[in-house]
Amino acid sequence: MSDEWALATRLVHEGGMRSQFGETSEAMFLTQGFVYDSAEEAAARFAGEAEGYVYSRYGNPTVTMFERRMAALEGAEACRGTTSGMAAVTAALTAALKAGDHIVAAGALFGGCRYIVETYLPRFGVESTLVDGEDLSAWEAAVKPNTKAFFMESPTNPTLALVDIAGVAAIRDAKAPEAKVVVDNVFATPLWQSPLKLGADIVVYSATKHIDGQGRCLGGAILGRDAWIKDNLDIILRQTGPSLSPFNAWVLLKSLETLPLRIRTQTATAGVLADALATHKMVKRVIYPGRDDHPQAELAKRQMAAGSTLLAFSVDGGREEAFRVANALELVKLSNNLGDAKSLLTHPATTTHKNLAPEARAALGIDDGLLRLSVGLEDPGDLVADLTRALDQAAGRTPMRQAGE
Ligand SMILES: *Cc1c(COP(=O)(O)O)cnc(C)c1O
């Protein structure tokens, strides 16, 4: 497929491989292995002298179609699918690091990512330093002669703080040119932020989120330069086996066809909701990268093409008031997942971030009144009505409904 076609076009067609039956929709190759025409053919494929698949842990046609379409979306030379987002993060970092190396990462990370950096990698002799991701001087001060990776998410979960990706890449250039800048781009989505263009080397996704977009299956992706992937990553993926299931690859591949439609709609609705929430008396603070009152609004405009499908807000009071709002919602569902067609709300302090010490939560700005909302594809008016009614009810302005009413 020509890379002169626009992104929307490529997301419908890129990477497709038709079988001899000429199917319109991409086929699902739900097979573990592949049959060879001759013993010589098998030997040639194993020797790397003939093209072709040998085993689905190494590669599978449906997975390849997903990888090619993802690479087109990200503007990356190559992509590898993985079984989950955490498998992508773990494989990318273990391929970039070895015992004796050092990694600098933002402290505001998805729980699993923080475990990999803070606990898992050090078990194998990798030193790690967590910094305040918003503070470029902290990134710079943390660099050591053995720094081989920088890792960040932007916007962060759940407070939607930003890391200046180009700023970290400039520190890499100046102080640790061999180090890889690895960006978990889940919250920004591939549509609104292109870390490779900002100087990152490797981008990882939990495809479980917006890429699936309908809450069905787990998946992940690692994107970067072809040579790095072939020389460093492939051996790790092949021998440790976090292979993406062809079934999940097929679901994710078909989802990429509608990704721009979904992300645009969800982002527009998130903007409407952020503005509506900001006017409610019960809401102390709204955090949305698309609003001018975001603490890093200038950086948001510089590095993101639009806001996000996620927003966070703090209700007046603490945990009790936040729970009251959450429990009063009818349309918005309570769930810690995100990027779904269904709007989902979570209370980070008692769910996704409950394992952090209270001081660590406070340092990240996660107060007990904070709620995170992943905006879905419902009608914006219905969502505004549901949130407003829940907030009114929590504020005691409307009577509680009677059971059975
Ligand atoms: C969900 C998520 C992950 C982990 O992805 P899984 O598919 O659940 O393994 C990693 N990073 C971020 C930012 C996420 O939101």
Side-chain angles (χ1 to χ4, degrees), residues 83-87 89 110 113 153 157 184 186-187 205-209 218-220 337-338:
T83 188
S84 68
M86 282 323 305
V89 170
F110 180 79
C113 297
E153 301 169 11
N157 177 28
D184 177 333
V186 166
F187 270 57
Y205 285 102
S206 163
T208 314
K209 312 294 168 54
L218 299 174
N337 200 16
L338 63 103

Side-chain angles (χ1 to χ4, degrees), residues 80-122:
R80 293 293 181 267
T82 57
T83 188
S84 68
M86 282 323 305
V89 170
T90 308
L93 293 180
T94 46
L97 294 160
K98 60 178 181 346
D101 289 345
H102 173 236
I103 176 171
V104 185
L109 293 178
F110 180 79
C113 297
R114 186 153 167 159
Y115 170 80
I116 297 299
V117 171
E118 205 174 23
T119 309
Y120 182 79
L121 291 172

Side-chain angles (χ1 to χ4, degrees), residues 102-352:
H102 173 236
I103 176 171
V104 185
L109 293 178
F110 180 79
C113 297
R114 186 153 167 159
Y115 170 80
I116 297 299
V117 171
E118 205 174 23
T119 309
Y120 182 79
L121 291 172
R123 279 175 55 183
F124 301 96
V126 174
E127 273 184 276
S128 70
T129 307
L130 292 175
V131 299
D132 171 1
E134 294 175 54
D135 180 2
L136 277 181
S137 64
W139 287 94
E140 183 160 18
V143 176
K144 298 182 184 194
N146 57 341
T147 300
K148 291 290 159 54
F150 297 89
F151 181 60
M152 71 210 71
E153 301 169 11
S154 182
T156 61
N157 177 28
T159 58
L160 302 159
L162 307 185
V163 176
D164 183 341
I165 297 169
V168 174
I171 292 167
R172 183 265 330 266
D173 291 345
K175 302 194 73 181
E178 280 174 32
K180 300 291 178 217
V181 173
V182 185
V183 178
D184 177 333
N185 205 37
V186 166
F187 270 57
T189 80
L191 212 59
W192 301 146
Q193 181 168 275
S194 304
L196 298 176
K197 294 199 183 88
L198 297 166
D201 301 285
I202 299 156
V203 181
V204 291
Y205 285 102
S206 163
T208 314
K209 312 294 168 54
H210 305 86
I211 292 170
D212 174 307
Q214 293 176 63
R216 296 161 296 189
C217 49
L218 299 174
I222 305 168
L223 299 112
R225 277 182 212 102
D226 199 39
W228 183 82
I229 286 182
K230 288 204 170 110
D231 296 346
N232 296 277
L233 183 66
D234 277 348
I235 185 74
I236 303 250
L237 292 177
R238 287 170 173 215
Q239 308 298 28
T240 68
S243 326
L244 178 59
S245 139
F247 178 84
N248 287 9
W250 179 82
V251 173
L252 299 170
L253 170 69
K254 299 304 288 176
S255 274
L256 287 177
E257 297 178 354
T258 57
L259 182 105
L261 297 174
R262 291 184 283 108
I263 302 292
R264 280 203 188 92
T265 304
Q266 286 167 268
T267 303
T269 305
V272 170
L273 296 187
D275 292 345
L277 287 166
T279 63
H280 200 283
K281 283 209 190 75
M282 183 79 183
V283 175
K284 270 196 314 198
R285 170 171 78 127
V286 173
I287 317 171
Y288 184 61
R291 270 174 67 88
D292 288 339
D293 62 359
H294 187 281
Q296 298 157 289
E298 187 269 328
L299 174 58
K301 287 209 174 71
R302 190 150 37 93
Q303 94 178 359
M304 299 180 73
S308 164
T309 69
L310 288 121
L311 59 93
F313 61 101
S314 280
V315 298
D316 204 6
R319 172 181 159 154
E320 194 187 321
E321 288 73 14
F323 273 27
R324 244 191 273 153
V325 174
N327 290 335
L329 291 165
E330 288 174 2
L331 178 57
V332 175
K333 302 300 169 216
L334 306 187
S335 174
N336 47 287
N337 200 16
L338 63 103
D340 200 295
K342 296 178 170 62
S343 290
L344 305 174
L345 182 111
T346 187
H347 182 249
T350 53
T351 61
T352 53

Side-chain angles (χ1 to χ4, degrees), residues 39-51:
E40 287 78 8
E41 170 70 10
R45 285 203 204 168
F46 270 78
E49 290 156 7
E51 288 282 308

